[in-house]
Amino acid sequence: MDVQILTQCLELMGERCADPAPLVFQRLFAENPAAEALFVRDTAGLVRGEMMAVTMEALLDCAAGDAYAVNLVEIERVNHEGMGVSPEVFDTFFRVVMAVFQDILGPDWTNEMDGAWRRVLGKFPHALA
Ligand code: HEM
């Protein structure tokens, strides 16, 4: 079950990295340098932390059968345009999160995990585009 595999990834991440959010945003800003300016007022990283938490919850919900996640993310995609985040940049976020998990898990990142992440990301219409 994909939800169990994703949960296992989260547990392994928790053992190795107290907070992956800074790594995720570092990678996001490396790919999209203009995006960093959007967070100038987020000095304590609270908005970034909240965004990361919502994203992980959405991934787990989607893996468990999608009670709300695909809808929520489609709505956030439009909302974010109003915050200055283009859909193209927004769409990279799940892929960036997956890449950070892959990096941190290193040799413990299995083909099974890769398959589960790709299946779940594939349910969001733009995440793997
Ligand atoms: C799966 C993708 C994403 C999801 C689910 C998501 C979700 C959210 C949520 C729930 C908030 C509200 C947080 C709060 O203030 O309590 C938020 C805020 C924000 N997001 Fe995202 N986000 C995503 C991707 C992105 C990307 C790629 C960027 C830009 C590079 C971005 C930029 C922002 C900014 C600037 C805010 C703060 C707005 C403010 O000043 O209050 N988001 N996001």
Side-chain angles (χ1 to χ4, degrees), residues 9-80:
C9 290
L10 272 170
E11 283 166 3
L12 285 172
M13 173 64 93
E15 287 167 13
R16 282 152 207 215
C17 176
D19 180 12
L23 295 172
V24 167
F25 285 92
Q26 210 177 336
R27 195 168 188 123
L28 181 73
F29 299 152
E31 285 186 21
N32 307 283
E36 193 161 6
L38 295 167
F39 294 95
V40 280
R41 278 168 306 170
D42 186 30
T43 47
L46 295 180
V47 169
R48 280 166 284 181
E50 165 78 5
M51 231 172 78
M52 184 72 196
V54 170
T55 300
M56 293 316 304
E57 282 163 14
L59 278 173
L60 289 174
D61 175 76
C62 191
D66 185 27
Y68 68 85
V70 170
N71 239 329
L72 170 86
V73 170
E74 284 295 288
I75 291 166
E76 283 298 347
R77 193 170 183 258
V78 176
N79 281 345
H80 278 64

Side-chain angles (χ1 to χ4, degrees), residues 86-104:
S86 70
E88 291 73 27
V89 171
F90 183 88
D91 293 341
T92 62
F93 198 65
F94 281 126
R95 196 177 40 68
V96 166
V97 170
M98 176 176 160
V100 168
F101 270 79
Q102 202 169 350
D103 271 7
I104 299 289

